[in-house]
Each structure stands twice: as structure tokens, then as C-alpha cells.
Amino acid sequence: MASEEPKAKKQKLSEEEKTERPSKKAPAKLSPNSLFGMGNPLLDISAVVDKDFLDKYTLKPNDQILAEDKHKALFEEIVKKFKVEYHAGGATQNSIKIAQWMIQEPHNVGTFFGCIGKDKFGGILKQKSEEAHIDARYYEQDEEPTGTCAACITGDNRSLVANLAAANCYKKDKHLDLEENWKLVEKAKVYYIAGFFLTVSLESILKVAKNASENNKLFCLNLSAPFICQFFKDNLMQVMPYVDVLFGNETEAVAFAEAQDFETKDIKEIAKKAQALSKVNTKRQRIVVFTQGKDDTAMAMSDKIETFPVLKIDPEDIVDTNGAGDAFVGGFLSELVQEKPLDQCVKAAHYAANVIIRRAGCTFPEKPDFN
């Protein structure tokens, strides 16, 4: 009887949906919880600010940092002084959300774990994750408030200041190790964690990474920011042997190369050297994907480096580059979890990033126009 159910569902698709998705393969082989993400759930507070605001808080126009004491007042000031927008954020959660949007159906292909507070912002995050059709299982605690991230936008640049707060409180023994949660980890085929989580719970990352490696599943990691490569190098290199797909942008790639003494600033060379770092699961050769803004994306795969041009966009159409990197990864994962060829993964990544930079925050239209 069970095999009849998908047919019945398919027949219920309206004519409109049939015409909108002509070349989509039936996503029957994708089951809920196929894609697993774990990271820092943050509520994004984004606003177009001025140079004086950046200078006051000693922010670079294009950067991402963790909030220090001197930044604490920034979060209140940005809300008072500028027109702000709230979005569910945090790098990993963004990518899982975008992947789910690209896939559309079934819902809850993406699972997300992270820590929030028992507060208003936590409630907003839960609501937003439901709206995005991802299966977010938050560890909720009341010692710290839900984390926030201020996106300070000037022109095409954005400076991110993250106040992790509750996101910093994720506990392996209190959440990941629980039987009902670990079952969801085991259901996944593809795992993705942004490097930012290396500052929070290395032991949680290693448990997931080792499990993926032992079961010949795909574990993906993002360098995420220069400071991760520089100041959390030891944590990063403990996870690297389990990484099947490594993502980063050109600034992060150069910072990684410096920290590793690669003695090159050539993005393709760095990709090659990162690919050659030791790896536990030798059944899969590591794939390294480095984006370079409007320049070609470089990918080290098998024994060659390929470059892929990004989709052209008029600079006037760029609204907000915040989230472009997360969207790139989300697009890539949406195809990877469906076992599509790598060039198709990059194509989807470029498409998703191109959609996101035309809008404020990491937001998207109702349906993708990608096939």
C-alpha cells in the first residue's frame, strides 16, 4: 500500500505546479533529514549604515568578527538609528534553508541543530525555520539569550558582527548525544558545518565528522572567515582529515594558506594543496571549492582544477552581498544531496548566490527558477 502513496500525491499536484516544474526529476529518492547541518543559529539584524557608524565601532567595511565588549552597544544603536530588517540567520542554518528552498519538496530534507535561548528572538527563529520547511531541532537553554548578528551594510560591502550568546552554549552531551537526535544524524547522507562552529563545540563536530567518514557519507566544511583559519587553526586541522568537501572564499583561502605555510597566494594552488592534506576516508578524494566574488569559482576535483564563471549581474542590481557565500553552499548542497554531477552543483550554487544578492538579507522568492 505504501508504494501507492507517492502516486496519489503526484496526482494531486495542481496543473500550475506541473507546468512550473517540468524538468524537475521526481524528488522521490530524497527523504526527509537527508541533509544535516549544525551551527550557530542567529537572528540577523541588517541595516544600511554610514561610515561614521563603522568607524565608531572600528569595523572594516567587508569583514566578519565576533562581538567584543566594545561592540555590545552596537546592537541597540543599530536598531535605534537605522531602518533594520530581521531574518533567521547564522551561516549553516542559512545554507540548509537555501538548499531546502532549491529542493522545494519533500519538506524537511534539511535538519539543523544549534542552541538558542528561551526568549522572543528564539521564538522568531523557530517560526522562521518552520516557514523555511527545515527540521530545526534547537537545544534551548535559559542562561544566555538567542544569538544575534548585525549586518552593517555600506554600498556593496557588509561588515558582520556576531554576538553568539546562546549559540555558544551548544552541548554535545545535552543534545547531540540524545538518542532521538542522533537518529536524525544517522539518517543523513550529506553533512555540512560552517567553520564558525569550531569556536563552539569541536567535540560535536568530530562526532558527526567521524560518523560520516566511517559510513562513507559526505562531510562538508566551510573555512567561514580568516579568523577561523588563523586563531582556530588547531580545531580546524583536527577536523580536516574528515572533510570531503571544503568551501571558502578567496580571502579565507589566502588566510588558510598563510596559516598552513603554503607559501602561495594563488587560489588554484591553494585549492590543490588543501586537497592534498591527509584524509581518513580514502575512498573519496577531497573536493575543494573556492569562490572569488565576481571572478571565476575554482574547484579542485580528482586530479584537476576547474574554473566556473559566475552568472553576470549588473552592479546596480546588487542589494546585499550578505549571505552570498551561504547561498552558494546551499545551492551546491541541494544538488550534492541528490547525487548530481559536481559541475551541476556549482551551477546551482552560482544560481542561488545570484538570487540572494539581489535581495536584502539571506531571503529568496517563493520558488527557484533553476533546472
Side-chain angles (χ1 to χ4, degrees):
M1 191 62 210
S3 64
E4 290 303 309
E5 194 186 37
K7 281 187 196 164
K9 275 190 186 154
K10 271 184 207 157
Q11 280 161 3
K12 282 183 196 163
L13 277 177
S14 68
E15 286 306 310
E16 183 190 7
E17 281 178 291
K18 279 182 195 165
T19 53
E20 259 186 65
R21 294 172 48 194
S23 59
K24 270 275 188 199
K25 282 185 185 166
K29 67 172 183 175
L30 264 188
S31 51
N33 310 109
S34 299
L35 174 63
F36 176 84
M38 180 168 61
N40 301 332
L42 303 173
L43 190 69
D44 283 345
I45 305 169
S46 59
V48 174
V49 303
D50 51 35
K51 189 177 179 299
D52 290 347
F53 186 80
L54 295 184
D55 292 345
K56 180 176 177 180
Y57 292 101
T58 57
L59 301 176
K60 294 175 191 163
N62 208 17
D63 201 8
Q64 55 277 79
I65 61 165
L66 293 178
E68 297 168 38
D69 284 344
K70 66 178 179 184
H71 299 117
K72 289 292 190 279
L74 177 152
F75 295 91
E76 282 185 25
E77 188 176 339
I78 196 169
V79 172
K80 282 184 186 152
K81 213 171 186 181
F82 305 99
K83 184 174 176 286
V84 299
E85 288 194 19
Y86 294 105
H87 301 285
T92 305
Q93 188 167 231
N94 278 343
S95 295
I96 299 298
K97 215 167 63 170
I98 296 279
Q100 180 65 56
W101 170 70
M102 290 284 286
I103 290 163
Q104 290 282 307
E105 286 170 14
H107 291 168
N108 295 340
V109 168
T111 312
F112 178 76
F113 286 6
C115 182
I116 61 173
K118 294 179 178 172
D119 52 23
K120 183 185 153 194
F121 282 171
I124 294 173
L125 272 183
K126 286 200 278 192
Q127 181 197 332
K128 296 279 183 194
S129 64
E130 273 179 40
E131 286 168 11
H133 307 303
I134 62 170
D135 192 359
R137 306 288 176 110
Y138 297 118
Y139 166 48
E140 296 179 49
Q141 49 72 62
D142 48 20
E143 282 169 34
E144 286 279 344
T146 297
T148 48
C149 179
C152 309
I153 303 157
T154 52
D156 289 348
N157 296 314
R158 47 76 179 138
S159 196
L160 303 182
V161 186
N163 182 26
L164 296 185
N168 228 349
C169 302
Y170 189 81
K171 298 279 185 291
K172 173 178 167 287
D173 56 336
K174 297 268 178 68
H175 194 261
L176 186 67
D177 292 344
L178 302 184
E179 191 184 352
E180 67 269 27
N181 291 334
W182 187 248
K183 271 184 183 161
L184 292 174
V185 176
E186 292 184 318
K187 276 179 83 175
K189 300 192 292 187
V190 175
Y191 302 84
Y192 173 67
I193 297 176
F196 292 123
F197 201 59
L198 288 163
T199 74
V200 174
S201 184
L202 176 63
E203 56 178 1
S204 296
I205 300 176
L206 285 170
K207 182 174 183 179
V208 171
K210 286 175 180 173
N211 178 71
S213 188
E214 284 159 13
N215 292 285
N216 195 28
K217 292 175 173 183
L218 282 159
F219 181 80
C220 313
L221 184 80
N222 202 318
L223 294 175
S224 292
F227 81 85
I228 298 290
C229 306
Q230 293 155 341
F231 307 122
F232 293 88
K233 176 179 156 182
D234 293 348
N235 288 11
L236 175 61
M237 295 321 286
Q238 280 189 59
V239 178
M240 195 58 74
Y242 304 100
V243 176
D244 296 298
V245 185
L246 180 69
F247 295 102
N249 65 24
E250 73 275 39
T251 322
E252 295 149 11
V254 170
F256 180 69
E258 274 175 26
Q260 300 299 319
D261 299 321
F262 284 172
E263 296 182 344
T264 179
K265 290 190 172 178
D266 181 275
I267 298 298
K268 291 183 189 175
E269 278 304 305
I270 298 169
K272 232 185 264 182
K273 286 177 183 276
Q275 185 186 37
L277 293 167
S278 71
K279 192 167 184 299
V280 172
N281 179 7
T282 51
K283 292 182 194 142
R284 297 179 184 275
Q285 193 175 5
R286 183 178 293 120
I287 296 155
V288 180
V289 191
F290 289 147
T291 59
Q292 305 184 82
K294 64 181 186 304
D295 297 325
D296 291 5
T297 294
M299 178 160 66
M301 45 194 267
S302 54
D303 297 320
K304 57 185 190 287
I305 303 266
E306 291 211 11
T307 56
F308 301 84
V310 303
L311 294 167
K312 296 230 181 314
I313 183 168
D314 185 326
E316 286 182 9
D317 290 334
I318 298 174
V319 174
D320 179 5
T321 55
N322 178 24
D326 299 339
F328 177 93
V329 172
F332 195 100
L333 295 172
S334 72
E335 299 294 293
L336 192 67
V337 77
Q338 297 179 77
E339 296 165 23
K340 298 281 180 69
L342 289 170
D343 59 345
Q344 182 72 359
C345 294
V346 176
K347 198 177 159 196
H350 284 160
Y351 168 78
N354 185 273
V355 169
I356 264 62
I357 60 178
R358 295 168 189 269
R359 305 166 69 91
C362 198
T363 62
F364 35 81
E366 191 189 341
K367 288 199 172 154
D369 181 19
F370 176 82
N371 42 50

